[in-house]
Amino acid sequence: AAGVIQSPRHLIKEKRETATLKCYPIPRHDTVYWYQQGPGQDPQFLISFYEKMQSDKGSIPDRFSAQQFSDYHSELNMSSLELGDSALYFCASRKPGQGAYEQYFGPGTRLTVT
Amino acid sequence: QQQVKQSPQSLIVQKGGISIINCAYENTAFDYFPWYQQFPGKGPALLIAIRPDVSEKKEGRFTISFNKSAKQFSLHIMDSQPGDSATYFCAASEFTQGGSEKLVFGKGTKLTVNP
């Protein structure tokens, strides 16, 4: 079965650089969520999109922006990177009619900021 | 402020034993309570979920017990196996002001099942 695809899987950037993380949801899933998970922490909700429109915003810094494209893939853009941005970034998708708890998570992108 | 409080932080059980992880919440507007299992380097995966009008749900060796009046719910893993060693997150889903739904997670419990 198709799963959520995230790229790249690992990314190393320097402080003040920019990073772009990509997420390809499961086919026919219309909702995408982004989460940040620090070491030993729970996933923190960043932002979500439903049918290519932003549906909710969590603890996402102003330095970050995201969008969902016509093919439903989503990109998280992170600028002026800080050491504290080092974390696992997960994308999750959900199909129409399912509850928020029925999210399918991707394998994550591990971002390291040096 | 953590909306869903989870305990213990870590748990060690012997193979064949019962693992119990507890969660508590305050927001009565939460409408679903899922549990996720996460292996190192992987994304969380939905394990089992329960609605607040149900007191217990069982799927194989995994059972959720839900106490609505106490605002608590727990995950029981029967006959725990070394392959169950992972981090478990309880969560709750809520509708936001914008009309969408999102998840809030507990802090997680690292379960180790010794052979």
Side-chain angles (χ1 to χ4, degrees), chain A residues 63-85:
Chain A
R63 301 177 288 107
F64 295 6
S65 65
Q67 60 182 124
Q68 187 178 28
F69 294 87
S70 58
D71 64 351
Y72 292 94
H73 95 271
S74 179
E75 294 183 4
L76 178 66
N77 297 294
M78 309 159 70
S79 63
S80 304
L81 287 170
E82 302 174 357
L83 295 177
D85 295 329

PDB file of all heavy atoms in Angstrom, chain A residues 63-85:
ATOM      1  N   ARG A  63       9.167  32.338  10.732  1.00  0.00           N
ATOM      2  CA  ARG A  63      10.233  32.050   9.761  1.00  0.00           C
ATOM      3  C   ARG A  63       9.869  30.866   8.844  1.00  0.00           C
ATOM      4  O   ARG A  63      10.537  30.612   7.847  1.00  0.00           O
ATOM      5  CB  ARG A  63      11.535  31.713  10.488  1.00  0.00           C
ATOM      6  CG  ARG A  63      12.048  32.809  11.391  1.00  0.00           C
ATOM      7  CD  ARG A  63      13.300  32.385  12.123  1.00  0.00           C
ATOM      8  NE  ARG A  63      13.027  31.397  13.154  1.00  0.00           N
ATOM      9  CZ  ARG A  63      13.349  30.115  13.066  1.00  0.00           C
ATOM     10  NH1 ARG A  63      13.945  29.639  11.990  1.00  0.00           N
ATOM     11  NH2 ARG A  63      13.098  29.295  14.075  1.00  0.00           N
ATOM     12  N   PHE A  64       8.832  30.141   9.249  1.00  0.00           N
ATOM     13  CA  PHE A  64       8.411  28.977   8.473  1.00  0.00           C
ATOM     14  C   PHE A  64       7.155  29.328   7.676  1.00  0.00           C
ATOM     15  O   PHE A  64       6.289  30.085   8.128  1.00  0.00           O
ATOM     16  CB  PHE A  64       8.059  27.798   9.380  1.00  0.00           C
ATOM     17  CG  PHE A  64       9.210  27.227  10.162  1.00  0.00           C
ATOM     18  CD1 PHE A  64      10.468  27.791  10.163  1.00  0.00           C
ATOM     19  CD2 PHE A  64       9.014  26.068  10.914  1.00  0.00           C
ATOM     20  CE1 PHE A  64      11.511  27.244  10.884  1.00  0.00           C
ATOM     21  CE2 PHE A  64      10.045  25.508  11.642  1.00  0.00           C
ATOM     22  CZ  PHE A  64      11.290  26.100  11.631  1.00  0.00           C
ATOM     23  N   SER A  65       7.052  28.765   6.516  1.00  0.00           N
ATOM     24  CA  SER A  65       5.817  28.884   5.736  1.00  0.00           C
ATOM     25  C   SER A  65       5.571  27.557   5.037  1.00  0.00           C
ATOM     26  O   SER A  65       6.492  26.743   4.894  1.00  0.00           O
ATOM     27  CB  SER A  65       5.923  30.016   4.702  1.00  0.00           C
ATOM     28  OG  SER A  65       6.917  29.707   3.747  1.00  0.00           O
ATOM     29  N   ALA A  66       4.357  27.331   4.654  1.00  0.00           N
ATOM     30  CA  ALA A  66       4.032  26.075   3.992  1.00  0.00           C
ATOM     31  C   ALA A  66       2.894  26.297   3.007  1.00  0.00           C
ATOM     32  O   ALA A  66       2.165  27.282   3.095  1.00  0.00           O
ATOM     33  CB  ALA A  66       3.636  25.010   5.019  1.00  0.00           C
ATOM     34  N   GLN A  67       2.790  25.380   2.082  1.00  0.00           N
ATOM     35  CA  GLN A  67       1.662  25.418   1.166  1.00  0.00           C
ATOM     36  C   GLN A  67       1.386  24.035   0.627  1.00  0.00           C
ATOM     37  O   GLN A  67       2.238  23.141   0.696  1.00  0.00           O
ATOM     38  CB  GLN A  67       1.915  26.405   0.020  1.00  0.00           C
ATOM     39  CG  GLN A  67       3.128  26.113  -0.839  1.00  0.00           C
ATOM     40  CD  GLN A  67       3.334  27.176  -1.918  1.00  0.00           C
ATOM     41  OE1 GLN A  67       4.377  27.790  -2.028  1.00  0.00           O
ATOM     42  NE2 GLN A  67       2.308  27.401  -2.726  1.00  0.00           N
ATOM     43  N   GLN A  68       0.194  23.877   0.112  1.00  0.00           N
ATOM     44  CA  GLN A  68      -0.197  22.628  -0.530  1.00  0.00           C
ATOM     45  C   GLN A  68      -0.517  22.955  -1.990  1.00  0.00           C
ATOM     46  O   GLN A  68      -1.242  23.906  -2.276  1.00  0.00           O
ATOM     47  CB  GLN A  68      -1.420  22.009   0.156  1.00  0.00           C
ATOM     48  CG  GLN A  68      -1.754  20.624  -0.371  1.00  0.00           C
ATOM     49  CD  GLN A  68      -2.949  19.995   0.350  1.00  0.00           C
ATOM     50  OE1 GLN A  68      -3.824  20.699   0.840  1.00  0.00           O
ATOM     51  NE2 GLN A  68      -2.977  18.688   0.413  1.00  0.00           N
ATOM     52  N   PHE A  69       0.019  22.145  -2.871  1.00  0.00           N
ATOM     53  CA  PHE A  69      -0.086  22.413  -4.293  1.00  0.00           C
ATOM     54  C   PHE A  69      -1.267  21.672  -4.922  1.00  0.00           C
ATOM     55  O   PHE A  69      -1.948  20.890  -4.268  1.00  0.00           O
ATOM     56  CB  PHE A  69       1.237  22.022  -4.972  1.00  0.00           C
ATOM     57  CG  PHE A  69       2.390  22.887  -4.529  1.00  0.00           C
ATOM     58  CD1 PHE A  69       3.118  22.566  -3.386  1.00  0.00           C
ATOM     59  CD2 PHE A  69       2.745  24.023  -5.239  1.00  0.00           C
ATOM     60  CE1 PHE A  69       4.176  23.362  -2.959  1.00  0.00           C
ATOM     61  CE2 PHE A  69       3.803  24.822  -4.824  1.00  0.00           C
ATOM     62  CZ  PHE A  69       4.507  24.488  -3.684  1.00  0.00           C
ATOM     63  N   SER A  70      -1.482  21.962  -6.213  1.00  0.00           N
ATOM     64  CA  SER A  70      -2.643  21.396  -6.908  1.00  0.00           C
ATOM     65  C   SER A  70      -2.618  19.868  -6.933  1.00  0.00           C
ATOM     66  O   SER A  70      -3.664  19.223  -7.011  1.00  0.00           O
ATOM     67  CB  SER A  70      -2.735  21.950  -8.330  1.00  0.00           C
ATOM     68  OG  SER A  70      -1.550  21.664  -9.045  1.00  0.00           O
ATOM     69  N   ASP A  71      -1.422  19.267  -6.873  1.00  0.00           N
ATOM     70  CA  ASP A  71      -1.344  17.796  -6.856  1.00  0.00           C
ATOM     71  C   ASP A  71      -1.373  17.258  -5.427  1.00  0.00           C
ATOM     72  O   ASP A  71      -1.115  16.080  -5.201  1.00  0.00           O
ATOM     73  CB  ASP A  71      -0.087  17.320  -7.584  1.00  0.00           C
ATOM     74  CG  ASP A  71       1.201  17.772  -6.889  1.00  0.00           C
ATOM     75  OD1 ASP A  71       1.111  18.597  -5.955  1.00  0.00           O
ATOM     76  OD2 ASP A  71       2.284  17.314  -7.296  1.00  0.00           O
ATOM     77  N   TYR A  72      -1.677  18.120  -4.481  1.00  0.00           N
ATOM     78  CA  TYR A  72      -1.825  17.804  -3.055  1.00  0.00           C
ATOM     79  C   TYR A  72      -0.512  17.614  -2.310  1.00  0.00           C
ATOM     80  O   TYR A  72      -0.551  17.451  -1.084  1.00  0.00           O
ATOM     81  CB  TYR A  72      -2.729  16.586  -2.822  1.00  0.00           C
ATOM     82  CG  TYR A  72      -4.166  16.858  -3.177  1.00  0.00           C
ATOM     83  CD1 TYR A  72      -4.654  16.540  -4.440  1.00  0.00           C
ATOM     84  CD2 TYR A  72      -5.021  17.461  -2.262  1.00  0.00           C
ATOM     85  CE1 TYR A  72      -5.963  16.820  -4.789  1.00  0.00           C
ATOM     86  CE2 TYR A  72      -6.338  17.752  -2.602  1.00  0.00           C
ATOM     87  CZ  TYR A  72      -6.802  17.433  -3.860  1.00  0.00           C
ATOM     88  OH  TYR A  72      -8.105  17.717  -4.203  1.00  0.00           O
ATOM     89  N   HIS A  73       0.617  17.665  -2.996  1.00  0.00           N
ATOM     90  CA  HIS A  73       1.849  17.592  -2.227  1.00  0.00           C
ATOM     91  C   HIS A  73       2.036  18.917  -1.486  1.00  0.00           C
ATOM     92  O   HIS A  73       1.456  19.949  -1.856  1.00  0.00           O
ATOM     93  CB  HIS A  73       3.043  17.219  -3.114  1.00  0.00           C
ATOM     94  CG  HIS A  73       3.848  18.386  -3.631  1.00  0.00           C
ATOM     95  ND1 HIS A  73       3.555  19.032  -4.816  1.00  0.00           N
ATOM     96  CD2 HIS A  73       4.942  18.994  -3.113  1.00  0.00           C
ATOM     97  CE1 HIS A  73       4.438  19.988  -5.020  1.00  0.00           C
ATOM     98  NE2 HIS A  73       5.291  19.995  -4.004  1.00  0.00           N
ATOM     99  N   SER A  74       2.807  18.867  -0.429  1.00  0.00           N
ATOM    100  CA  SER A  74       2.986  20.046   0.404  1.00  0.00           C
ATOM    101  C   SER A  74       4.475  20.293   0.630  1.00  0.00           C
ATOM    102  O   SER A  74       5.284  19.359   0.577  1.00  0.00           O
ATOM    103  CB  SER A  74       2.282  19.848   1.750  1.00  0.00           C
ATOM    104  OG  SER A  74       2.455  20.976   2.594  1.00  0.00           O
ATOM    105  N   GLU A  75       4.814  21.535   0.831  1.00  0.00           N
ATOM    106  CA  GLU A  75       6.196  21.911   1.120  1.00  0.00           C
ATOM    107  C   GLU A  75       6.235  22.815   2.335  1.00  0.00           C
ATOM    108  O   GLU A  75       5.388  23.715   2.485  1.00  0.00           O
ATOM    109  CB  GLU A  75       6.827  22.605  -0.091  1.00  0.00           C
ATOM    110  CG  GLU A  75       6.978  21.693  -1.286  1.00  0.00           C
ATOM    111  CD  GLU A  75       7.678  22.357  -2.470  1.00  0.00           C
ATOM    112  OE1 GLU A  75       8.128  23.515  -2.346  1.00  0.00           O
ATOM    113  OE2 GLU A  75       7.777  21.688  -3.523  1.00  0.00           O
ATOM    114  N   LEU A  76       7.210  22.545   3.189  1.00  0.00           N
ATOM    115  CA  LEU A  76       7.449  23.361   4.375  1.00  0.00           C
ATOM    116  C   LEU A  76       8.759  24.107   4.136  1.00  0.00           C
ATOM    117  O   LEU A  76       9.799  23.482   3.962  1.00  0.00           O
ATOM    118  CB  LEU A  76       7.546  22.475   5.622  1.00  0.00           C
ATOM    119  CG  LEU A  76       7.844  23.172   6.948  1.00  0.00           C
ATOM    120  CD1 LEU A  76       6.699  24.083   7.353  1.00  0.00           C
ATOM    121  CD2 LEU A  76       8.095  22.124   8.054  1.00  0.00           C
ATOM    122  N   ASN A  77       8.673  25.411   4.087  1.00  0.00           N
ATOM    123  CA  ASN A  77       9.842  26.251   3.865  1.00  0.00           C
ATOM    124  C   ASN A  77      10.281  26.883   5.170  1.00  0.00           C
ATOM    125  O   ASN A  77       9.469  27.471   5.882  1.00  0.00           O
ATOM    126  CB  ASN A  77       9.512  27.351   2.845  1.00  0.00           C
ATOM    127  CG  ASN A  77       9.154  26.766   1.496  1.00  0.00           C
ATOM    128  OD1 ASN A  77       9.984  26.172   0.824  1.00  0.00           O
ATOM    129  ND2 ASN A  77       7.895  26.903   1.097  1.00  0.00           N
ATOM    130  N   MET A  78      11.571  26.727   5.449  1.00  0.00           N
ATOM    131  CA  MET A  78      12.106  27.194   6.721  1.00  0.00           C
ATOM    132  C   MET A  78      13.270  28.116   6.430  1.00  0.00           C
ATOM    133  O   MET A  78      14.236  27.707   5.776  1.00  0.00           O
ATOM    134  CB  MET A  78      12.555  25.988   7.552  1.00  0.00           C
ATOM    135  CG  MET A  78      11.466  24.904   7.653  1.00  0.00           C
ATOM    136  SD  MET A  78      12.098  23.277   8.067  1.00  0.00           S
ATOM    137  CE  MET A  78      12.565  23.574   9.744  1.00  0.00           C
ATOM    138  N   SER A  79      13.174  29.355   6.892  1.00  0.00           N
ATOM    139  CA  SER A  79      14.235  30.319   6.610  1.00  0.00           C
ATOM    140  C   SER A  79      14.931  30.733   7.904  1.00  0.00           C
ATOM    141  O   SER A  79      14.428  30.486   9.002  1.00  0.00           O
ATOM    142  CB  SER A  79      13.666  31.542   5.894  1.00  0.00           C
ATOM    143  OG  SER A  79      12.730  32.201   6.732  1.00  0.00           O
ATOM    144  N   SER A  80      16.088  31.369   7.741  1.00  0.00           N
ATOM    145  CA  SER A  80      16.875  31.841   8.893  1.00  0.00           C
ATOM    146  C   SER A  80      16.974  30.756   9.956  1.00  0.00           C
ATOM    147  O   SER A  80      16.652  30.964  11.133  1.00  0.00           O
ATOM    148  CB  SER A  80      16.250  33.108   9.496  1.00  0.00           C
ATOM    149  OG  SER A  80      16.123  34.123   8.534  1.00  0.00           O
ATOM    150  N   LEU A  81      17.407  29.585   9.549  1.00  0.00           N
ATOM    151  CA  LEU A  81      17.437  28.438  10.436  1.00  0.00           C
ATOM    152  C   LEU A  81      18.239  28.714  11.699  1.00  0.00           C
ATOM    153  O   LEU A  81      19.271  29.378  11.672  1.00  0.00           O
ATOM    154  CB  LEU A  81      18.000  27.230   9.704  1.00  0.00           C
ATOM    155  CG  LEU A  81      17.059  26.610   8.664  1.00  0.00           C
ATOM    156  CD1 LEU A  81      17.797  25.581   7.812  1.00  0.00           C
ATOM    157  CD2 LEU A  81      15.854  25.963   9.345  1.00  0.00           C
ATOM    158  N   GLU A  82      17.722  28.174  12.788  1.00  0.00           N
ATOM    159  CA  GLU A  82      18.372  28.283  14.091  1.00  0.00           C
ATOM    160  C   GLU A  82      18.726  26.882  14.576  1.00  0.00           C
ATOM    161  O   GLU A  82      18.130  25.898  14.139  1.00  0.00           O
ATOM    162  CB  GLU A  82      17.426  28.974  15.078  1.00  0.00           C
ATOM    163  CG  GLU A  82      16.988  30.353  14.637  1.00  0.00           C
ATOM    164  CD  GLU A  82      15.935  30.944  15.567  1.00  0.00           C
ATOM    165  OE1 GLU A  82      15.506  30.251  16.518  1.00  0.00           O
ATOM    166  OE2 GLU A  82      15.544  32.110  15.335  1.00  0.00           O
ATOM    167  N   LEU A  83      19.667  26.820  15.529  1.00  0.00           N
ATOM    168  CA  LEU A  83      20.071  25.521  16.075  1.00  0.00           C
ATOM    169  C   LEU A  83      18.858  24.764  16.636  1.00  0.00           C
ATOM    170  O   LEU A  83      18.746  23.544  16.515  1.00  0.00           O
ATOM    171  CB  LEU A  83      21.131  25.707  17.159  1.00  0.00           C
ATOM    172  CG  LEU A  83      22.467  26.277  16.700  1.00  0.00           C
ATOM    173  CD1 LEU A  83      23.394  26.466  17.908  1.00  0.00           C
ATOM    174  CD2 LEU A  83      23.124  25.385  15.668  1.00  0.00           C
ATOM    175  N   GLY A  84      17.941  25.512  17.240  1.00  0.00           N
ATOM    176  CA  GLY A  84      16.760  24.908  17.847  1.00  0.00           C
ATOM    177  C   GLY A  84      15.773  24.322  16.856  1.00  0.00           C
ATOM    178  O   GLY A  84      14.820  23.654  17.255  1.00  0.00           O
ATOM    179  N   ASP A  85      15.992  24.568  15.577  1.00  0.00           N
ATOM    180  CA  ASP A  85      15.110  23.981  14.559  1.00  0.00           C
ATOM    181  C   ASP A  85      15.497  22.535  14.254  1.00  0.00           C
ATOM    182  O   ASP A  85      14.761  21.848  13.533  1.00  0.00           O
ATOM    183  CB  ASP A  85      15.176  24.807  13.269  1.00  0.00           C
ATOM    184  CG  ASP A  85      14.640  26.215  13.441  1.00  0.00           C
ATOM    185  OD1 ASP A  85      13.734  26.410  14.274  1.00  0.00           O
ATOM    186  OD2 ASP A  85      15.142  27.132  12.744  1.00  0.00           O
TER     187      ASP A  85
END
